[in-house]
């Protein structure tokens, strides 16, 4: 009774901290932003943006074309282009509607009162999901699907190759089903259908393999450890509803090292930016999958070695006749 009385409030406080703390401290932190145009024209804007210490990471470009290319390559979230008619803000709402709105407010605040800032959305969010609600809410269902897969494999006592096969099959089905819902039905994803399904399946597999691997090494307690790691840290630290650079440190950094955050970044790259900047999150997911499946295989081998041999019936002593 004492353990329950102490554990439940502790978990509640941990959940509130994990979800509420990043949301309450949302602000730009070294957010990549481009500045394009002649130095004499961009100097006042750049000086004003740098006045917010640590908020923006300024990248300089020669002209608007170079700035657009950097946005499409996901090097920067937006760019300010200085011109004779006033500054033009280039944004990419597909990279995060919250970020695009924040940049618009910051650049407008730096412009003179009589100057109107023109905004151009270089990579717009899908018309069916202009606020990124579908993409932002996908981290938790994928994490739950992965946790369910790893838990079911553990509870059914699947070991070794059979457990790996079950995890791979379940993740493949998850990827196809979620792509059918988010892309074909809701229209929230606009990239290559099969690439999106692969990313969704890989994200689910990274979570499921981790949960099953921890359970294979730690026993049933590993399911709880994996679930807490993915739901209480991976989901709120993923930056799916905003951007990793808007989260307080080290939440933004840690979130990209966990499957929900890496999977969200990879899905955004594949769905809207033709795979730009996809290598790092793809590698992160692959590492989680490799470690999880290796733990599952090792747990299966250990289970075989420690399995007790069936007891042999004692030899019967022949009884004298008569």
């Amino acid at each position: 009774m004492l353990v329950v009385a102490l554990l439940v409030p502790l978990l509640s406080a941990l959940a509130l901290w994990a979800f509420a703390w990043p949301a309450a401290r949302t602000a730009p932190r070294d957010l990549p932003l481009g500045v394009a145009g002649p130095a004499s024209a961009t100097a006042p804007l750049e000086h004003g943006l740098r006045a917010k210490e640590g908020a923006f990471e300024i990248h300089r470009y020669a002209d608007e074309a170079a700035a657009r290319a950097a946005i499409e390559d996901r090097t920067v979230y937006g760019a300010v282009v200085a011109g004779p008619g006033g500054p033009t803000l280039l944004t990419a709402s597909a990279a995060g509607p919250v970020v695009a709105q924040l940049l618009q407010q910051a650049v407008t605040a730096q412009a003179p009162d009589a100057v109107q800032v023109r905004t151009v959305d270089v990579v717009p969010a899908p018309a069916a999901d202009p606020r990124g609600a579908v993409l932002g809410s996908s981290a938790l269902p994928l994490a739950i699907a992965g946790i369910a897969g790893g838990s079911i494999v553990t509870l059914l006592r699947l070991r070794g190759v059979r457990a790996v096969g079950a995890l791979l099959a379940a993740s493949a089905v998850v990827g196809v089903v979620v792509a059918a819902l988010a892309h074909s039905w809701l229209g929230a994803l606009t990239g290559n259908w099969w690439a999106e399904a692969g990313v969704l399946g890989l994200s689910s597999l990274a979570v499921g393999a981790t949960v099953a691997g921890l359970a294979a090494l730690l026993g049933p307690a590993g399911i709880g450890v994996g679930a807490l790691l993915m739901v209480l840290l991976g989901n709120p630290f993923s930056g799916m509803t905003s951007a990793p650079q808007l989260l307080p440190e080290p939440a933004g950094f840690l979130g990209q090292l966990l499957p929900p955050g890496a999977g969200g970044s990879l899905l955004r790259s594949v769905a809207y930016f033709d795979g730009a900047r996809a290598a790092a999150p793809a590698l992160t997911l692959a590492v989680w999958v490799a470690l999880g499946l290796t733990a599952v295989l090792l747990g299966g081998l250990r289970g075989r070695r420690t399995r007790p041999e069936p007891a042999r019936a004692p030899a019967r002593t022949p009884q004298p006749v008569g």
Side-chain angles (χ1 to χ4, degrees), residues 32-289:
L33 176 65
V35 175
S40 58
T42 60
L45 281 172
E46 186 175 343
H47 178 73
L49 293 172
R50 289 186 182 278
K52 298 181 178 181
E53 186 175 354
F56 299 103
E57 179 185 279
I58 304 299
H59 296 247
R60 296 183 183 87
Y61 300 101
D63 51 26
E64 181 176 344
R68 283 177 175 267
I71 293 173
E72 294 170 350
D73 190 50
R74 300 202 71 188
T75 303
V76 294
Y77 281 90
V80 185
V81 181
T88 299
L89 173 63
L90 306 179
T91 63
S93 58
V98 175
V99 180
Q101 183 178 6
L102 184 149
L103 290 178
Q104 187 173 8
Q105 294 173 351
V107 174
T108 302
Q110 299 302 322
D113 295 337
V115 176
Q116 185 176 2
V117 178
R118 186 171 68 97
T119 302
V120 178
D121 200 344
V122 177
V123 187
D129 188 28
R131 298 182 180 180
V134 176
L135 187 69
S137 60
S138 64
L140 183 58
L142 286 174
I144 292 175
I147 293 170
S151 302
I152 292 173
V153 165
T154 302
L155 296 177
L156 292 180
R157 299 180 183 274
L158 298 179
R159 297 180 181 274
V161 177
R162 294 179 62 193
V164 171
L167 290 169
L168 291 173
S171 299
V173 174
V174 168
V176 170
V177 170
V178 177
L181 293 174
H183 185 120
S184 303
W185 180 41
L186 297 175
L189 304 179
T190 58
N192 181 273
W193 196 95
W194 287 107
E196 293 168 353
V199 171
L200 293 166
L202 182 63
S203 301
S204 177
L205 178 61
V207 176
T210 301
V211 171
L214 289 173
L217 298 178
L218 304 178
I223 297 177
V225 173
L228 290 175
L229 180 64
M230 300 302 169
V231 174
L232 288 188
L233 292 182
N235 184 55
F237 292 0
S238 67
M240 288 285 287
T241 57
S242 55
Q245 291 84 356
L246 297 186
L247 301 180
E249 291 299 341
F253 174 75
L254 292 177
Q256 296 305 298
L257 297 179
L258 295 173
S265 296
L266 182 58
L267 181 60
R268 195 183 295 275
S269 293
V270 169
Y272 308 131
F273 294 89
D274 294 328
R277 304 289 170 175
L283 179 61
T284 301
L285 291 177
V287 170
W288 281 99
V289 169

Side-chain angles (χ1 to χ4, degrees), residues 14-32:
L14 179 61
L16 181 62
W17 166 80
F19 283 87
W21 172 56
R25 297 292 185 268
T26 298
R29 296 170 176 83
D30 292 327
L31 186 72

